[in-house]
Amino acid sequence: MKIALFGANGGTGRVLAQQALDAGHQLTAVTRHPETFGLRHERLRVVAGDAMDAASVSAAIAGHDAVLSTLGVPFGKDPITIYSVGAANIVSGMTEHGVRRLACVSSSAVEVHPDPTESWLFEKVLQPYVVNGIGKTTYDDMRAMEALVRASDLDWTIVRPSGLFAADAVSDYRVSSAEHLSGRYTSRADLADFLLRLAVDGEFPREAVEVRTTEGTPSFLAFMWNETIKKKP
């Protein structure tokens, strides 16, 4: 397939790019900083593009079979618009060029459910601190993104992972559009694998799907250290 990938230079995007190339697909990696994108391959095209700029988004989408979005930014106090504006530009570009298949990454935190397997501390303290505190502007914009995607007539799938962490390989992960999945974490390898499945097989059309990793997951402290504190400049 010919796949356009937005957010290619992020943690999940880089893993997904490698998986797509390993599977034999032609990939266009869209990033604001193509000079920092480390992969090189005969079936890889790296283009400069900004999800906030409708013209560059449209140009990157033309001629592809599917679009995958792993757009994301760190938590911040100021309003965030990359998810919603990026989605609006992607939907517009796909409509313009007649590209139907879209899979985009959101988060399980946009629709929190009680989890009987979790501790009181996580349910009542840690999760609310992230969802309603440091991550509020992120999840607000993700909800706006989801509404924009749902309102389109594309063959879309919204993917909702939990806390993302690095893993060496794809595991026997779980997915569901019918029920809330227990578990705090999703590996980037598993998320990338599922996104590629969606592009190729067209599963879960016009549905929101949760994806969870069930083996090799980190502790909460290790997750916070590796994915937040350690990554700060």
Side-chain angles (χ1 to χ4, degrees):
M1 294 184 69
K2 294 180 179 179
I3 299 171
L5 172 59
F6 290 86
N9 226 355
T12 302
R14 291 191 295 270
V15 175
L16 176 53
Q18 186 64 67
Q19 289 184 3
L21 294 169
D22 289 345
H25 301 293
Q26 296 182 49
L27 183 73
T28 296
V30 187
T31 172
R32 289 184 300 163
H33 303 289
E35 71 281 359
T36 66
F37 193 75
L39 288 178
R40 297 291 183 270
H41 198 281
E42 62 183 5
R43 283 183 275 101
L44 171 67
R45 184 169 69 104
V46 183
V47 301
D50 186 345
M52 305 292 282
D53 178 71
S56 69
V57 170
S58 176
I61 288 172
H64 290 82
D65 302 313
V67 175
L68 302 177
S69 173
T70 60
L71 290 170
V73 292
F75 290 155
K77 294 181 179 179
D78 295 330
I80 290 171
T81 60
I82 182 63
Y83 300 98
S84 57
V85 174
N89 289 335
I90 288 171
V91 167
S92 177
M94 292 179 68
T95 302
E96 177 185 355
H97 296 291
V99 181
R100 298 289 307 165
R101 188 61 174 134
L102 169 65
C104 60
V105 176
S106 182
S107 171
S108 62
V110 302
E111 191 176 353
V112 175
H113 298 269
D115 187 342
T117 69
E118 281 293 355
S119 67
W120 179 91
L121 178 63
F122 181 82
E123 288 272 291
K124 301 299 183 182
V125 179
L126 299 177
Q127 183 170 258
Y129 170 71
V130 174
V131 174
N132 302 318
I134 61 173
K136 185 179 187 304
T137 55
T138 292
Y139 301 128
D140 284 347
D141 196 41
M142 282 182 170
R143 293 185 189 97
M145 172 192 70
E146 288 198 6
L148 283 163
V149 171
R150 290 177 186 274
S152 76
D153 64 354
L154 301 174
D155 298 327
W156 54 264
T157 302
I158 293 166
V159 182
R160 292 175 171 176
S162 285
L164 294 173
F165 71 99
D168 293 332
V170 176
S171 72
D172 186 20
Y173 58 89
R174 299 180 62 206
V175 299
S176 177
S177 62
E179 61 176 334
H180 171 65
L181 296 178
S182 295
R184 301 179 186 179
Y185 307 110
T186 306
S187 80
R188 292 186 178 88
D190 290 347
L191 175 58
D193 182 78
F194 184 53
L195 288 164
L196 197 56
R197 276 174 51 188
L198 292 173
V200 174
D201 298 332
E203 299 175 89
F204 301 103
R206 303 184 69 82
E207 292 187 272
V209 187
E210 295 194 358
V211 54
R212 296 290 184 280
T213 298
T214 59
E215 56 191 59
T217 56
S219 68
F220 183 77
L221 290 178
F223 171 78
M224 292 299 292
W225 172 258
N226 289 322
E227 300 298 331
T228 58
I229 299 170
K230 191 177 179 181
K231 287 189 174 182
K232 288 184 179 180

